[in-house]
Amino acid sequence: MAQPSFEESCNVQWDEESPADAPGFVQIKLPADPATPHPDNLDATRPSTEYTSPPGKKAEGFPHHVPDWCNQKVLHRNTLPPRASFHVYDNAADALARDVSKSKTVSLNGTWKFKLAKSPFDTFGDLQDREFESRKWGSIKVPGMWQLQGYGKGPQYTNVNFPFPVDPPNIPFDDNETGCYLRNFEIPRSFRNQQIRLRFEGVDSSFHVFMNDKEVGYSQGSRNPSEFDITEFVEERGKNTLFVRVYQRCDGTYLEDQDQWWLSGIFRDVNLLAFPNIRIEDFQIQTHLDVAYTDAMLSVRVTLNTPSDVGISLYDAGGVPVVESRIVAYTTNTTSILIQNPQKWTADTPYLYQLILTTPDCAVEQRVGFRTVKVTRGVFCVNGKPVKIRGVNRHEHHPDSGRAVPYDFLRQDLLTMKRHNINAIRTSHYINDPRLYDLADELGLWILDECDLECHGFGEIDCNTLQKSSRSHAKDIEIEGNPARWVSDNPEWTEAYVDRARQAVVRDKNHPCIILWSLGNESFYGRNHQAMYDFIHAYDPTRPIHYEGDYWAQTADIYSRMYTSAEEIIRFVEEGQGDTWKPLVMCEYVHAMGTGPGAVKEYVDAFYKYPRLMGGFVWEWANHGLRTKTAKGEEYYGYGGDFGDDPNDGRFVLDGLCNSDHTPTSGLTEYKKTIEPVQVLGGNSKKVKIINRYDHTDLDHLKCTWTLVGDGFRKYGGLVEIPPGIQRSETAELEIEGLALSELPQGESYLEISFTLRHGTNWAPAGHEVAFGQIRLSPVAQKPQLLYLNQLTLKSPTAPKFQKISSQYLRISDTPGKNWIFNIVHGTLTSWTSNGNELLHTPPELTFYRAVTDNDRPTRFGQSWIGSRLHQTKTHVRSVTYSMNDEGVTIKVEARIAPPVLQWSVDAEITYTFNDAGVTIKVKGKPRGQCLPNTFARIGLEMGLKDIESASWFGRGPGEAYRDMKLSQKYGNYTLPISKLFTDPEYPQENGNRTDVRHVTFNVKKDKKASLKASFGTLEEASFSAMNYTTKDIDECQHPYELYTRKKDYTIVKLDWAHMGIGTGSCGPATLDEYVLKCEGFEYEILLE
């Protein structure tokens, strides 16, 4: 019996009298005879009608049936069974070429006609209406998101909350934007007399498909593919009209509450496919290595539409045949082939074979990597060797097109990862564009493939699942309600959960890069996760299964944690918590929000020390800012709330190792160093000890060189021989030849060891640096001192003299042409002229505060700084004394540095000594009083300098660094313009600090001789920053464009003797104790010259 369309079942009639903006503006009338319900291909059935009538009367009501997009019993209608992602070719030669243009695939991507309605009931009726009305429609790019192409209410960002009334499985009828897509196409001549399929790789959130005014089917599961057999719906000759109605929300949206923008539309590829009469419907490849991990059994399971001969050919990476076989297959057939000692696939050595399957009518292709994944006595292994995950979480994001990510942009993401030593991706929190897995197979990246599942918002409804105070304490978890009852532990939702597992595993099963399946993210834990696990384990027993919400791994094969401290995961393994035969992975850690993250090394050291710790995935790869403009045309990257979206979670969407354009931040640079595959453990001028941190390869592919580095000195030394065959976790000593102690420069010097690629790869050219180390050759000073301290105690005929020019000011001058003005009432150095050029704009002042970072703000440290008014402290002079002798002029300022309102202070003694060498400033401070801050953000001088164009320094560089994120910055001499010292984060905050600096010179534009040099002597961890923005400006602005309007015409310089670490307190551990700056007494000095 023919099935009525959605419109026919509701008998939609247009109300010509109603204005276009009237609520509903369509009339719904029930048919005289209720339509037969649509059968669903997953055995779901519609309920009869929502309304019943009294005996003898017919029901009247709206709607007649529960809409598919609001009916949890309907997941798909008329979709084909899930299958692996592959293209069909006419012959083996075309398949072997892997050229999609030669396949039986026609892309329907491009510009479609488009119109947006406020609700599904406001859309158009039959084809005649659509064809007529579409003349007035707009256009839209497919793939794409309609909110980013000028349609609808705009993007909305929430981390946890559902942005609509929560009433599962119901979705509001009147508030569900619906996109109407229309395009025409013709069937290629070569497709005739074959099965014609229409495949959507991703549609957010659900959709109905109509072909030539006939309803084809329905599907939901935004990030999962949907494929329809449209053979009976299309005309093989002439025009075909495809109409797709996409719903912003559906009942499946309750399972898609991921931490990202809410965006809608056809956002992945749409393809027209031809499958021949004798065709391969699906195939599954598994590789099984023997106990010695030498020989392999290649298992191929083929599903056909009809019995046929199937050819099986395996080629190596050079195209040389390895196996050629032919089998007689019935509908489904499995065959196993012994492959002797194949090359093994790993992330370090991604060797790919090519498998071609043929029938008399077609051929398909799949690359094969021989590898076996297994958990052995609590250790996660691939090919029998332990693997350490040095990974990232990656959302699909593009700053202009959202989740519709162009291939070149996607590829660049993975290339950047490889170049930064990243070896793994968690596809947070859904299966990705299928092309990502092809790239990961090629480049060598482990993949934790995650099902499209998150329902975090139910935790908000139940007042949070776990108490924050007890979430990370394994034995003390307390439940405040049971959010799992809504969907995760509700049997009404079991099929929806299992469907998402089925879609993910069936599509991606043949990729060697996938070493773990994940049941989803932040969806609590319930029976439906067990059902997902059972399906996956039965379908693919070759990979372990992950799910963080299963805290005690009742179901999952491994333990998983988020944002737990390194100390806690160490305790977990040392105390033998849980099932010791299961390893633990940090599925999210070192939250990379804003400036940071800090203290990554502590985690990585723990991963290497404890075999049960698998490693982790940094949250996350990139900021999700969307490129937009202000009313004045100022471009910036918008975050939650910038598009009028309410509710929203603000800038929490800016939490990546890359900027929103996916260029690396200093956080990614630091992560690259922390996870480098070769570590320098120590050494001297003759020998250097290293360790191999690769999982599956030696160091023979690397070249090593040494360079001697000192202040004003950098000399290339030569090659260093790496002993051949250094295996994973093995140490070795490198002999340094040609370095004579007589060559060491005076002062501080370092032996720099660099490891680069000996030959180019498919992800980086020869010479790309993968690791480095610097070994200090000069002794570390036992006590910090200024290099020029002795000079400042010598008598000099040209020593500065002072003159009191008023009751408030002293003039200090010397014969070389330097003059200073000191305000003895305010206790400040107000002027410094050299050769007639004024250097100072603002006097140096002792300060303790920095602009709050995202990692400071929510922590006890950031809260204490604001609560104690650290940002409002001012210097109040109590006394000033001054004297003059043959050595120069000394001014001593006794001051109380304190905030308003509160009673605490820092009692400070600041001594200025003016000498031929310049000005030495010595400070002593003692905090006292009530309500002191628990830490200082920094201890240093802040001043304004005029006409500065650049800074030159010796210390770590060239990038920003802090005491807990500085390992990636090498000791050396650097010069950068002031504009480049400011890293310009997408949300204004503290940035641009350079640490472990011995001296820095601020170069004046007009006169290089008038430049100002600051020397910290041998003090460790001294820092500086220089920018055109004040701390107050940075704190007050919420976007870069706001900050730009406050740009100063002078340079704000901070010279810090000590600076607090960064931590990961935005979502995770705050700054570790060893990196905090305690609120206690201090004594420092600096030389300005």
Side-chain angles (χ1 to χ4, degrees):
M1 178 178 178
Q3 303 299 323
S5 69
F6 175 83
E7 285 83 359
E8 290 171 333
S9 66
C10 292
N11 194 14
V12 177
Q13 297 182 358
W14 296 102
D15 183 0
E16 303 294 344
E17 305 287 327
S18 298
D21 59 351
F25 69 89
V26 290
Q27 295 178 336
I28 310 294
K29 294 184 179 179
L30 296 175
D33 297 313
T36 302
H38 290 241
D40 184 64
N41 61 318
L42 292 178
D43 298 324
T45 57
R46 287 184 188 265
S48 52
T49 64
E50 288 190 3
Y51 300 93
T52 57
S53 57
K57 294 187 178 180
K58 289 189 176 181
E60 293 286 342
F62 162 78
H64 183 57
H65 295 298
V66 177
D68 288 345
W69 46 267
C70 209
N71 186 350
Q72 72 185 98
K73 299 294 185 182
V74 178
L75 302 177
H76 312 282
R77 291 191 181 280
N78 203 31
T79 55
L80 292 167
R83 64 172 176 88
S85 181
F86 61 85
H87 294 280
V88 178
Y89 295 85
D90 284 322
N91 54 64
D94 287 347
L96 197 60
R98 298 192 70 250
D99 183 350
V100 177
S101 67
K102 296 180 179 180
S103 72
K104 295 174 174 291
T105 304
V106 172
S107 173
L108 296 184
N109 295 348
T111 302
W112 294 40
K113 291 184 177 181
F114 184 78
K115 188 174 180 67
L116 188 69
K118 291 181 293 185
S119 85
F121 301 104
D122 295 344
T123 58
F124 293 88
D126 60 29
L127 178 61
Q128 246 183 350
D129 291 331
R130 289 195 293 270
E131 285 287 332
F132 176 76
E133 291 291 337
S134 68
R135 300 171 192 172
K136 298 180 286 184
W137 287 16
S139 61
I140 195 168
K141 291 181 180 178
V142 173
M145 323 299 300
W146 70 61
Q147 291 90 346
L148 301 182
Q149 300 187 58
Y151 295 99
K153 296 178 181 178
Q156 183 165 17
Y157 167 65
T158 61
N159 171 27
V160 175
N161 295 322
F162 294 109
F164 53 87
V166 178
D167 180 27
N170 300 304
I171 295 295
F173 285 177
D174 59 340
D175 183 18
N176 188 12
E177 288 184 351
T178 302
C180 300
Y181 291 77
L182 188 71
R183 71 156 294 160
N184 298 321
F185 66 89
E186 294 185 1
I187 300 295
R189 183 184 298 271
S190 61
F191 281 24
R192 293 177 185 175
N193 300 316
Q194 300 180 70
Q195 184 193 49
I196 308 300
R197 297 184 180 188
L198 180 64
R199 184 175 177 89
F200 296 84
E201 295 293 350
V203 180
D204 197 326
S205 69
S206 67
F207 62 110
H208 278 98
V209 177
F210 301 84
M211 186 69 68
N212 297 330
D213 202 28
K214 296 178 182 178
E215 181 176 333
V216 175
Y218 167 84
S219 193
Q220 65 185 52
S222 296
R223 270 68 75 172
N224 299 326
S226 301
E227 192 165 87
F228 301 89
D229 180 355
I230 59 171
T231 310
E232 301 302 318
F233 296 88
V234 296
E235 300 292 336
E236 288 195 338
R237 293 174 174 79
K239 182 182 74 173
N240 290 279
T241 299
L242 171 60
F243 175 67
V244 184
R245 186 168 50 223
V246 178
Y247 311 106
Q248 181 183 23
R249 300 175 185 131
C250 66
D251 55 274
T253 304
Y254 286 104
L255 306 183
E256 296 174 357
D257 184 29
Q258 288 94 343
D259 174 12
Q260 61 181 354
W261 293 99
W262 293 91
L263 298 169
S264 315
I266 304 173
F267 69 95
R268 289 187 189 153
D269 291 340
V270 183
N271 288 314
L272 196 66
L273 312 170
F275 275 59
N277 295 324
I278 301 176
R279 56 184 177 270
I280 296 171
E281 298 282 3
D282 196 13
F283 59 94
Q284 183 175 10
I285 298 169
Q286 292 181 354
T287 60
H288 307 276
L289 302 185
D290 63 17
V291 293
Y293 300 99
T294 303
D295 296 336
M297 192 65 71
L298 174 65
S299 174
V300 182
R301 186 173 189 264
V302 181
T303 301
L304 305 171
N305 69 314
T306 187
S308 172
D309 289 350
V310 176
I312 301 175
S313 300
L314 184 71
Y315 300 84
D316 67 15
V320 177
V322 176
V323 167
E324 291 186 345
S325 177
R326 182 164 294 276
I327 62 171
V328 177
Y330 297 94
T331 306
T332 300
N333 188 84
T334 301
T335 187
S336 296
I337 303 170
L338 177 64
I339 308 296
Q340 293 186 340
N341 196 21
Q343 297 274 3
K344 310 306 186 296
W345 190 98
T346 72
D348 296 334
T349 58
Y351 190 96
L352 291 170
Y353 292 82
Q354 202 167 4
L355 181 71
I356 306 296
L357 301 177
T358 58
T359 73
D361 286 356
C362 68
V364 298
E365 177 272 345
Q366 177 64 46
R367 290 180 298 185
V368 177
F370 286 91
R371 60 106 187 92
T372 293
V373 183
K374 189 176 181 181
V375 174
T376 304
R377 296 185 178 182
V379 179
F380 183 80
C381 299
V382 177
N383 299 345
K385 295 182 179 180
V387 163
K388 297 298 181 182
I389 300 295
R390 301 179 281 270
V392 290
N393 283 269
R394 179 187 176 273
H395 267 296
E396 291 185 315
H397 165 267
H398 185 276
D400 299 316
S401 54
R403 283 191 292 283
V405 180
Y407 175 76
D408 289 343
F409 196 81
L410 162 62
R411 184 172 185 273
Q412 187 59 47
D413 261 3
L414 271 59
L415 290 174
T416 303
M417 290 177 191
K418 288 288 291 186
R419 291 166 186 166
H420 285 81
N421 296 330
I422 289 165
N423 72 352
I425 301 171
R426 179 186 181 211
T427 64
S428 51
H429 302 291
Y430 40 82
I431 58 174
N432 278 202
D433 184 321
R435 297 173 296 183
L436 176 138
Y437 306 88
D438 289 333
L439 286 167
D441 288 342
E442 292 173 15
L443 300 174
L445 286 159
W446 310 117
I447 300 292
L448 187 159
D449 205 20
E450 194 148 81
C451 298
D452 186 9
L453 175 62
E454 181 169 338
C455 55
H456 203 169
F458 291 116
E460 290 295 300
I461 296 169
D462 276 28
C463 302
N464 297 316
T465 309
L466 307 179
Q467 290 184 347
K468 293 180 181 178
S469 62
S470 61
R471 175 168 187 162
S472 59
H473 298 287
K475 297 180 180 178
D476 299 317
I477 295 177
E478 298 180 10
I479 304 298
E480 296 182 351
N482 179 23
R485 65 190 167 87
W486 293 95
V487 288
S488 291
D489 203 35
N490 184 342
E492 294 294 315
W493 290 81
T494 299
E495 180 52 38
Y497 274 63
V498 173
D499 179 64
R500 288 169 186 265
R502 181 186 300 113
Q503 296 282 356
V505 176
V506 173
R507 191 197 74 168
D508 295 340
K509 61 198 171 205
N510 293 327
H511 288 281
C513 61
I514 297 172
I515 55 172
L516 287 160
W517 300 115
S518 178
L519 304 182
N521 184 65
E522 294 178 326
S523 299
F524 321 107
Y525 179 71
R527 72 188 73 192
N528 296 335
H529 293 109
Q530 181 70 58
M532 296 174 77
Y533 178 93
D534 291 343
F535 169 79
I536 296 174
H537 187 70
Y539 187 84
D540 175 28
T542 68
R543 297 174 174 101
I545 298 171
H546 162 274
Y547 178 56
E548 185 270 341
D550 183 5
Y551 194 86
W552 284 113
Q554 300 174 63
T555 295
D557 296 318
I558 62 177
Y559 291 96
S560 181
R561 296 290 183 266
M562 290 182 178
Y563 309 112
T564 306
S565 70
E567 181 182 7
E568 288 177 284
I569 61 172
I570 290 171
R571 187 184 309 122
F572 181 88
V573 294
E574 285 188 340
E575 295 178 358
Q577 295 180 21
D579 182 348
T580 57
W581 286 63
K582 291 184 178 182
L584 181 145
V585 69
M586 293 294 295
C587 70
E588 295 177 21
Y589 80 125
V590 290
H591 195 257
M593 186 173 180
T595 302
V600 183
K601 181 180 184 295
E602 283 70 12
Y603 284 100
V604 176
D605 287 348
F607 297 157
Y608 289 135
K609 182 176 181 180
Y610 298 96
R612 241 185 112 191
L613 297 180
M614 291 170 55
F617 300 88
V618 169
W619 187 267
E620 64 178 309
W621 172 241
N623 291 350
H624 296 211
L626 295 174
R627 200 188 324 260
T628 186
K629 292 182 179 180
T630 67
K632 296 180 181 180
E634 301 159 306
E635 187 175 277
Y636 70 103
Y637 292 103
Y639 51 80
D642 283 339
F643 301 92
D645 46 317
D646 185 27
N648 69 78
D649 283 311
R651 66 184 183 279
F652 211 66
V653 77
L654 305 178
D655 54 2
L657 293 170
C658 294
N659 296 305
S660 291
D661 63 358
H662 292 215
T663 55
T665 67
S666 58
L668 180 57
T669 306
E670 183 73 5
Y671 191 47
K672 174 187 177 181
K673 171 61 179 174
T674 309
I675 60 174
E676 62 191 355
V678 187
Q679 290 181 329
V680 175
L681 301 179
N684 52 42
S685 61
K686 298 298 183 182
K687 292 184 178 181
V688 174
K689 187 177 182 180
I690 64 170
I691 186 169
N692 178 9
R693 293 299 189 186
Y694 285 105
D695 296 317
H696 288 95
T697 189
D698 55 29
L699 306 183
D700 294 356
H701 65 292
L702 299 179
K703 182 173 73 172
C704 182
T705 58
W706 70 267
T707 301
L708 186 60
V709 177
D711 188 1
F713 182 93
R714 184 175 181 86
K715 180 182 178 182
Y716 173 75
L719 293 173
V720 179
E721 183 180 353
I722 303 174
I726 302 172
Q727 298 302 304
R728 66 173 308 277
S729 299
E730 286 185 356
T731 60
E733 284 194 339
L734 307 182
E735 301 284 344
I736 307 301
E737 298 179 355
L739 175 56
L741 293 178
S742 59
E743 292 186 73
L744 296 184
Q746 289 186 347
E748 200 168 332
S749 60
Y750 294 86
L751 173 63
E752 182 177 310
I753 303 296
S754 177
F755 298 89
T756 58
L757 292 177
R758 188 178 297 276
H759 305 290
T761 68
N762 59 357
W763 52 269
H768 168 76
E769 186 175 73
V770 298
F772 76 89
Q774 286 187 317
I775 298 167
R776 185 163 180 163
L777 300 179
S778 54
V780 178
Q782 295 299 311
K783 182 179 179 181
Q785 59 181 353
L786 287 174
L787 298 178
Y788 304 102
L789 196 58
N790 293 332
Q791 297 181 22
L792 298 179
T793 60
L794 297 176
K795 295 181 180 181
S796 170
T798 60
K801 312 294 182 185
F802 76 79
Q803 177 186 5
K804 191 171 183 180
I805 57 178
S806 73
S807 61
Q808 190 168 355
Y809 293 103
L810 297 179
R811 176 185 290 123
I812 301 103
S813 58
D814 67 3
T815 52
K818 295 192 291 294
N819 287 275
W820 300 272
I821 302 293
F822 198 94
N823 187 320
I824 57 177
V825 173
H826 294 161
T828 56
L829 180 64
T830 58
S831 174
W832 184 330
T833 59
S834 179
N835 298 322
N837 296 314
E838 176 62 61
L839 295 178
L840 288 182
H841 178 277
T842 310
E845 184 176 6
L846 183 59
T847 56
F848 309 106
Y849 179 73
R850 71 183 180 202
V852 176
T853 70
D854 286 325
N855 285 310
D856 294 329
R857 195 176 303 274
T859 70
R860 65 187 186 277
F861 304 123
Q863 296 292 316
S864 174
W865 298 344
I866 302 303
S868 64
R869 298 178 180 266
L870 186 65
H871 58 301
Q872 294 178 327
T873 58
K874 291 186 177 180
T875 301
H876 304 279
V877 175
R878 287 185 163 177
S879 69
V880 176
T881 59
Y882 46 91
S883 62
M884 180 172 58
N885 57 30
D886 292 341
E887 298 167 3
V889 176
T890 299
I891 301 175
K892 183 179 291 186
V893 178
E894 300 282 351
R896 183 176 188 269
I897 303 171
V901 180
L902 302 175
Q903 180 264 337
W904 73 269
S905 68
V906 175
D907 291 349
E909 179 184 288
I910 308 170
T911 303
Y912 297 81
T913 302
F914 297 84
N915 186 275
D916 284 345
V919 181
T920 300
I921 303 175
K922 186 173 182 178
V923 300
K924 292 182 180 180
K926 185 174 183 179
R928 63 174 69 247
Q930 303 296 316
C931 302
L932 279 163
N934 53 22
T935 55
F936 291 136
R938 45 184 289 273
I939 301 173
L941 299 176
E942 182 172 341
M943 68 184 83
L945 298 181
K946 291 183 176 181
D947 300 323
I948 302 299
E949 66 176 359
S950 64
S952 303
W953 74 97
F954 177 71
R956 290 189 185 269
E960 72 176 3
Y962 296 81
R963 57 168 56 175
D964 61 353
M965 55 165 294
K966 63 183 182 180
L967 301 179
S968 59
Q969 303 305 311
K970 300 176 181 178
Y971 284 98
N973 292 96
Y974 303 97
T975 297
L976 285 175
I978 298 302
S979 61
K980 296 296 184 182
L981 293 172
F982 183 70
T983 58
D984 202 10
E986 290 170 12
Y987 186 92
Q989 59 195 279
E990 158 69 29
N991 72 90
N993 190 67
R994 268 68 180 175
T995 196
D996 288 346
V997 172
R998 307 298 184 245
H999 59 78
V1000 55
T1001 300
F1002 301 99
N1003 304 305
V1004 175
K1005 297 177 184 177
K1006 303 174 185 176
D1007 184 359
K1008 302 298 182 184
K1009 295 181 181 179
S1011 299
L1012 180 66
K1013 180 179 180 180
S1015 298
F1016 294 96
T1018 59
L1019 179 68
E1020 298 290 330
E1021 295 193 335
S1023 301
F1024 86 91
S1025 66
M1027 60 188 68
N1028 299 115
Y1029 304 100
T1030 67
T1031 300
K1032 185 173 185 290
D1033 289 339
I1034 295 172
D1035 262 347
E1036 291 179 349
C1037 293
Q1038 298 183 19
H1039 298 88
Y1041 68 83
E1042 299 167 9
L1043 189 60
Y1044 299 158
T1045 64
R1046 302 190 186 191
K1047 185 175 182 179
K1048 304 298 186 284
D1049 59 0
Y1050 60 94
T1051 302
I1052 294 91
V1053 169
K1054 298 184 181 72
L1055 301 169
D1056 294 341
W1057 292 286
H1059 199 117
M1060 174 109 163
I1062 295 295
T1064 59
S1066 55
C1067 188
T1071 306
L1072 302 183
D1073 289 345
E1074 54 265 44
Y1075 302 121
V1076 301
L1077 183 52
K1078 296 179 180 179
C1079 182
E1080 58 187 19
F1082 57 86
E1083 183 174 354
Y1084 296 110
E1085 60 183 338
I1086 191 171
L1087 172 66
L1088 303 181
E1089 55 181 321

